[in-house]
Amino acid sequence: MHIHLIAKREVTFGFRNPWSYSFLALFTLFSLGLLVIQSQSFLDGYTYSTGTMLNLILYLLPLMTMLLSAFSLTAEKEEGNWQLLSTYAMTSTSFLFGKYAGQAIVLITIVCFGYGLSGVAGVLLGKSFSLAALLFLLVFSVSIILLFLGMAMMIGALSKNRWQALTMGVAVWFFLILAWPTLLISALSFVPYTWIKPLLQLATFFNPAEFVRIFSVARLGGGSIFGPEYYKWMYWIDSPLGDVLFVALSLCWIAVTMYIAKIAWERR
């Protein structure tokens, strides 16, 4: 297995990539903006400010993750690195999981730096995040990164070049983050009433941003905003096995997207 070697190489390349520093600057500015929002309302339970912060993170992190990681994978094709690496005794599974691990380290470092700097700025200004709030935002952000990294690997494997990756990444981001509620409501209006609830819950499994958001809001005590359609979700999220089921669901999502990425990568 060469996963650790590929991951180490990916971390090196990731921190040499100017795009990483562009996103680092953007996310740091973004986290300072969250600090301003938080200073108006402490992160204590689900509030309007909390919802705004979670939505802002959902707008930025999936796009940042998919572009950085998909570009990294398509660059291996365009620059001929994969053709060279494939001459060694290394499987495509090791290669893709190594890329996944390396990109995860780079992106989590960017997020930790942004939150860390905003935490320091908050302490200096006397309006810092509480430790619990910082940990909650960090866990929420890392969950988004790890789930969308699988999708980024899939997009990178399916794309022939960076332009295709850019087009596909933006299209997927637009569909899952911006257009999802409108399209879902439109689609469900054509099915019988008794099918709406099970179809709504089933559709949520296909959008990682949505089930991470529902889990996080429920953990903050705001699960009632999702209505009776998600009553059973609130029950299992609040149960002692809620965290275990969420991790299991996330691992299933990552495994499925990485498997599709592997099939697409080998066919290319």
Side-chain angles (χ1 to χ4, degrees), residues 3 25 35 48 69 77 91 125-126 133 140 166-167 214 257 268:
I3 294 177
L35 179 66
Y48 175 78
S69 304
K77 298 178 189 175
T91 64
L125 296 172
F140 179 76
L166 175 64
T167 305
I214 291 173
T257 49
R268 290 283 183 184

Side-chain angles (χ1 to χ4, degrees), residues 163-199:
W163 283 111
Q164 276 194 3
L166 175 64
T167 305
M168 202 180 297
V170 172
V172 169
W173 173 81
F174 181 82
F175 174 74
L176 293 180
I177 306 300
L178 297 182
W180 180 264
T182 305
L183 294 178
L184 194 59
I185 291 170
S186 301
L188 291 177
S189 66
F190 292 101
V191 302
Y193 179 76
T194 52
W195 292 14
I196 291 177
K197 184 176 176 181
L199 285 178

Side-chain angles (χ1 to χ4, degrees), residues 26-266:
L26 180 62
F27 190 80
T28 301
L29 182 64
F30 171 82
S31 59
L32 290 172
L34 292 183
L35 179 66
V36 174
I37 295 174
Q38 186 271 345
S39 66
Q40 299 169 2
S41 174
F42 288 99
L43 187 59
D44 184 16
Y46 185 77
T47 62
Y48 175 78
S49 299
T50 310
T52 302
M53 291 168 68
L54 296 184
N55 285 333
L56 287 174
I57 294 170
L58 280 174
Y59 289 149
L60 179 61
L61 272 184
L63 183 63
M64 190 172 87
T65 301
M66 285 196 289
L67 293 188
L68 266 183
S69 304
F71 282 6
S72 170
L73 203 53
T74 50
E76 301 284 0
K77 298 178 189 175
E78 291 182 298
E79 296 169 4
N81 293 329
W82 168 243
Q83 284 79 358
L84 175 62
L85 290 171
S86 61
T87 60
Y88 293 89
M90 179 176 59
T91 64
S92 56
T93 302
S94 299
F95 176 73
L96 290 174
F97 274 98
K99 297 282 287 184
Y100 181 97
Q103 282 293 320
I105 292 171
V106 172
L107 289 163
I108 291 172
T109 302
I110 291 174
V111 168
C112 288
F113 180 85
Y115 286 141
L117 190 64
S118 65
V120 172
V123 170
L124 295 176
L125 296 172
K127 294 181 179 179
S128 65
F129 288 108
S130 67
L131 181 60
L134 265 179
L135 286 176
F136 175 82
L137 291 175
L138 184 61
V139 171
F140 179 76
S141 302
V142 169
S143 300
I144 292 292
I145 286 172
L146 295 180
L147 288 167
F148 274 89
L149 254 180
M151 189 172 291
M153 292 290 121
M154 198 170 66
I155 292 171
L158 289 168
S159 305
K160 291 181 180 178
N161 51 50
R162 289 181 179 91
W163 283 111
Q164 276 194 3
L166 175 64
T167 305
M168 202 180 297
V170 172
V172 169
W173 173 81
F174 181 82
F175 174 74
L176 293 180
I177 306 300
L178 297 182
W180 180 264
T182 305
L183 294 178
L184 194 59
I185 291 170
S186 301
L188 291 177
S189 66
F190 292 101
V191 302
Y193 179 76
T194 52
W195 292 14
I196 291 177
K197 184 176 176 181
L199 285 178
L200 182 64
Q201 294 180 357
L202 180 65
T204 305
F205 288 111
F206 293 94
N207 187 343
E210 197 62 15
F211 68 72
V212 171
R213 187 172 71 92
I214 291 173
F215 182 83
S216 303
V217 172
R219 279 296 187 192
L220 288 170
S224 59
I225 66 167
F226 297 111
E229 288 79 8
Y230 286 101
Y231 174 76
K232 287 186 178 178
W233 283 55
M234 300 307 116
Y235 178 76
W236 71 256
I237 288 173
D238 289 332
S239 71
L241 290 176
D243 292 337
V244 176
L245 291 172
F246 176 74
V247 172
L249 178 61
S250 300
L251 289 176
C252 285
W253 173 265
I254 294 169
V256 169
T257 49
M258 289 298 287
Y259 178 73
I260 296 173
K262 174 181 176 295
I263 300 296
W265 186 257
E266 290 178 348

